Amino acid sequence: MAETPAGRLDVRQRCLLLGHLLHQLGDLGQALARPGRDQGATLTQLARHLDAPVHLRNSEFGRKVTDHVWHCPVRTAPEDRHLSDAEWADIAQRIVEAAGIAPAGDDLACRWIAVRHADDHIRILATTVREDGRRPKLHDSGIRVGDACRQIEKDYGLFQLKKGDRTAGRRPTQAEMHKAERLGWEQTSRAWLQDRIRAAIPHASSAEELLTYLQADGIAVKPRRGPSGDLLGYAVGRPGDLNKDGEQIFHSGGKIAPDLTLPKLKARLETTAPEEHPTARRNRPTTPWHQATDALDTIHTGMADDAHAQAHITALGELIEATAQKAPAHLRTELQAASKSFARAQRSQIRAENQAAHTLRNAARDIAHTATGPDGSALAALLAALVWATVVAARWHEAKGHAHQVEAAHQSLHHLKTAADDALAPVVDTLAARQPSDQPRRTLAHDVRTAVPDHADRILADAAWLALATVLADAEASGHKPHQLLKEAAAQRELTTARQPARVLITRIQHTSRNPAPNPRAAAARRRSTLLNGSGTSPSPRAGISAAPVVGRVAGPAR
């Protein structure tokens, strides 16, 4: 071993010498009875044995090693069989190998111990100083341990959890949970702050506006700004969450949830909507509730591209949250639960092209800012559209292998279906009370059989058929053709998986038939007027050819 010019050992050489001493200490420990197997061993003796490499390193380098304890509880599911001591020993060995605590074949690895607390779980404890004095490489150890656990579940025939994708929020710590219990809070501070930030997102159109909204809601906000005053980051604190010195505790957005960092919030909030065509503005529904339903009707067309699909799913979560805030009180609990569950389905590893979902996001903001609530049929139509959009989101996640997001979407779907059924029930009762007479009802039943023959028997047997007949009769009185409305409503979404197809058609047809029936003669007159006004002169053969693209742009959307 060579010396440095100054006659002193450098850091690498000192580590090698320390490792030699620790290795000798380890050999001595092997010669003695293993303290973990000794029935008379005390906890103090076990701790000294585990910490021996730490103490020797501290004395050699003259400074204490910090954060030198690694702890990992391992538990089986309630429905799993009981594992033997030998099986638990193998599981513990595989976990410490995967973590990098004790790699296979490494004689200088960290010291660790596994304690079986009960039939269904063990606790693994290790000191993160190796026998050669170096620190183990624990970066991403949680991911490696998770992968090892998924393989252990397969090998031992245990309940298999879904593989993580690094998009989940941080679990609350024991200290956070104990503090919430001590202060009588139902949620930990980070969970409480996450709910408040998500509730504020539909109300804001920029990150600055979001922080202002949170501050007005009584939340402590600490922005981080550059010399120019630009917002570079933020942290928020729950009122009453103080440290031992009585100071406010703050949490950065990224520590609250992965999708609440400032860059991701800016990408969602500060997208610019494309200029709207005058014809589209003229045909826009009158209320935010109808606008949101229209936006949801076309969500499936934006799911072909992954970046667009992720953007629509993120915006869908904002719309569910905004609807929960403005819905009647008797539906709010279910919708809030749906919004909270869907928060997990909103994020994945796929980067969203937020510009693609501006229509859906604008609909959420309009609902959040509206001062008037929806009527019964408008709310029922929106909730039915939210149910279908959530089904579309779940299927997309399933196709991409996003197991946790699929589960979250299904949980949200359960709450949304309950709320949709509760919202539609009084609407159905009112419609059924004024059902058409026998002859018109038989005519409408014939329309059902010709328009949707594959599902006609289920529709006519549905308890809501009388209410659907009333909706069709009302639409016919307004100038619509029931046969055409039925075909269009059935084409919007397959009816095979619908539990009550008549109820599904009620919300769709009510939403579609609220507009006046199309008048072909009036539409032709508008096209002729557009052509004349666009050319400025009477149409000649040459002028007609040059004006054709103008007709396509202006009159096309009105068809």
Side-chain angles (χ1 to χ4, degrees):
M1 184 179 295
E3 293 187 357
T4 61
R8 301 181 60 184
L9 300 178
D10 59 20
V11 174
R12 179 177 177 276
Q13 292 166 340
R14 294 172 71 190
C15 281
L16 290 173
L17 178 59
L18 176 60
H20 178 69
L21 295 173
L22 287 170
H23 189 50
Q24 288 182 334
L25 178 62
D27 291 339
L28 178 61
Q30 293 293 332
L32 302 174
R34 299 176 69 179
R37 299 286 185 181
D38 185 359
Q39 296 293 331
T42 65
L43 291 177
T44 301
Q45 290 173 324
L46 287 173
R48 287 174 179 170
H49 181 75
L50 289 172
D51 287 342
V54 179
H55 294 318
L56 192 53
R57 179 185 169 110
N58 290 344
S59 62
E60 174 64 21
F61 286 93
R63 61 179 181 272
K64 289 186 176 181
V65 177
T66 59
D67 299 327
H68 64 274
V69 178
W70 186 86
H71 174 226
C72 179
V74 187
R75 184 184 299 270
T76 56
E79 59 267 34
D80 285 334
R81 63 181 177 86
H82 288 178
L83 302 176
S84 66
D85 286 343
E87 289 173 321
W88 275 121
D90 176 62
I91 290 171
Q93 183 70 52
R94 291 170 66 170
I95 287 176
V96 294
E97 287 179 4
I101 293 293
D106 189 347
D107 294 334
L108 301 178
C110 301
R111 297 186 179 189
W112 60 276
I113 186 173
V115 179
R116 184 167 185 174
H117 278 244
D119 288 337
D120 65 341
H121 73 278
I122 62 172
R123 291 182 181 272
I124 306 173
L125 194 71
T127 50
T128 57
V129 173
R130 292 164 47 84
E131 297 290 331
D132 57 7
R134 295 184 292 120
R135 304 297 297 272
K137 296 179 180 179
L138 298 179
H139 180 66
D140 285 340
S141 61
I143 297 173
R144 296 194 299 273
V145 168
D147 292 341
C149 287
R150 302 296 81 78
Q151 188 59 47
I152 289 170
E153 290 161 359
K154 292 180 181 179
D155 295 345
Y156 282 92
L158 305 175
F159 179 81
Q160 294 184 26
L161 295 177
K162 299 173 179 64
K163 185 176 180 179
D165 61 357
R166 307 186 72 175
T167 61
R170 296 189 177 190
R171 292 181 179 272
T173 64
Q174 289 287 337
E176 289 176 321
M177 291 190 289
H178 290 323
K179 185 174 187 178
E181 184 179 358
R182 186 174 69 252
L183 296 177
W185 293 342
E186 293 184 359
Q187 293 177 292
T188 63
S189 289
R190 284 191 292 122
W192 186 87
L193 289 167
Q194 180 179 173
D195 288 350
R196 295 305 182 280
I197 295 173
R198 295 196 188 283
I201 287 175
H203 296 265
S205 58
S206 68
E208 292 281 8
E209 192 174 327
L210 176 66
L211 296 186
T212 301
Y213 186 93
L214 292 173
Q215 204 161 19
D217 198 31
I219 296 172
V221 177
K222 184 168 70 173
R224 180 168 58 86
R225 301 186 183 275
S228 62
D230 293 339
L231 187 63
L232 302 180
Y234 78 99
V236 289
R238 181 180 189 175
D241 188 11
L242 310 176
N243 61 19
K244 60 182 180 181
D245 297 325
E247 300 172 338
Q248 176 69 57
I249 295 176
F250 287 94
H251 303 271
S252 64
K255 296 292 180 64
I256 295 172
D259 58 335
L260 297 183
T261 62
L262 182 64
K264 291 183 178 179
L265 286 175
K266 282 186 172 182
R268 287 167 64 176
L269 297 174
E270 299 176 8
T271 55
T272 56
E275 185 176 352
E276 193 174 21
H277 195 282
T279 305
R281 260 197 312 273
R282 186 168 60 247
N283 295 334
R284 183 193 299 168
T286 54
T287 71
W289 310 95
H290 290 119
Q291 292 174 25
T293 305
D294 277 357
L296 289 169
D297 284 345
T298 59
I299 191 173
H300 61 280
T301 61
M303 305 298 284
D305 179 84
D306 286 351
H308 290 188
Q310 180 59 58
H312 280 92
I313 291 174
T314 303
L316 174 60
E318 296 173 19
L319 181 55
I320 295 173
E321 173 60 37
T323 305
Q325 294 178 21
K326 296 295 183 175
H330 69 284
L331 301 176
R332 206 165 293 156
T333 300
E334 289 291 346
L335 290 174
Q336 287 174 343
S339 176
K340 192 165 186 176
S341 297
F342 199 78
R344 182 68 182 89
Q346 281 182 270
R347 54 184 185 264
S348 72
Q349 288 285 10
I350 296 175
R351 185 168 183 171
E353 181 57 53
N354 290 287
Q355 188 76 21
H358 67 89
T359 302
L360 204 56
R361 184 163 285 112
N362 286 344
R365 290 176 184 168
D366 288 343
I367 287 179
H369 292 141
T370 187
T372 57
D375 60 44
S377 60
L379 179 60
L382 175 58
L383 294 183
L386 285 173
V387 168
W388 173 236
T390 306
V391 170
V392 173
R395 289 177 178 175
W396 180 80
H397 278 309
E398 190 171 10
K400 297 299 173 184
H402 302 160
H404 294 279
Q405 289 83 345
V406 172
E407 183 180 2
H410 285 162
Q411 291 174 357
S412 181
L413 192 59
H414 169 74
H415 296 292
L416 285 173
K417 285 180 177 178
T418 303
D421 289 343
D422 292 344
L424 188 58
V427 176
V428 170
D429 292 341
T430 302
L431 291 169
R434 55 184 188 87
Q435 58 182 289
S437 57
D438 291 345
Q439 181 56 44
R441 197 165 65 246
R442 282 195 292 269
T443 303
L444 293 171
H446 176 72
D447 287 331
V448 171
R449 293 192 182 281
T450 56
V452 279
D454 295 340
H455 305 284
D457 290 339
R458 293 177 58 227
I459 294 171
L460 296 175
D462 193 332
W465 156 240
L466 296 179
L468 175 59
T470 305
V471 171
L472 292 171
D474 290 345
E476 188 174 26
S478 300
H480 292 275
K481 296 180 179 180
H483 181 274
Q484 186 64 29
L485 286 174
L486 284 165
K487 290 185 69 175
E488 291 175 357
Q492 289 179 20
R493 171 198 156 186
E494 48 82 22
L495 293 173
T496 304
T497 58
R499 296 171 300 161
Q500 297 174 296
R503 293 169 71 94
V504 172
L505 292 173
I506 286 172
T507 56
R508 297 183 194 172
I509 292 174
Q510 276 194 321
H511 180 69
T512 303
S513 63
R514 77 187 188 281
N515 295 324
N519 187 328
R521 292 184 178 179
R526 282 196 299 270
R527 286 195 293 271
R528 287 195 299 271
S529 175
T530 301
L531 177 60
L532 291 172
N533 293 336
S535 62
T537 60
S538 299
S540 64
R542 185 179 298 275
I545 294 173
S546 63
V550 177
V551 176
R553 287 198 303 271
V554 177
R559 288 197 296 269

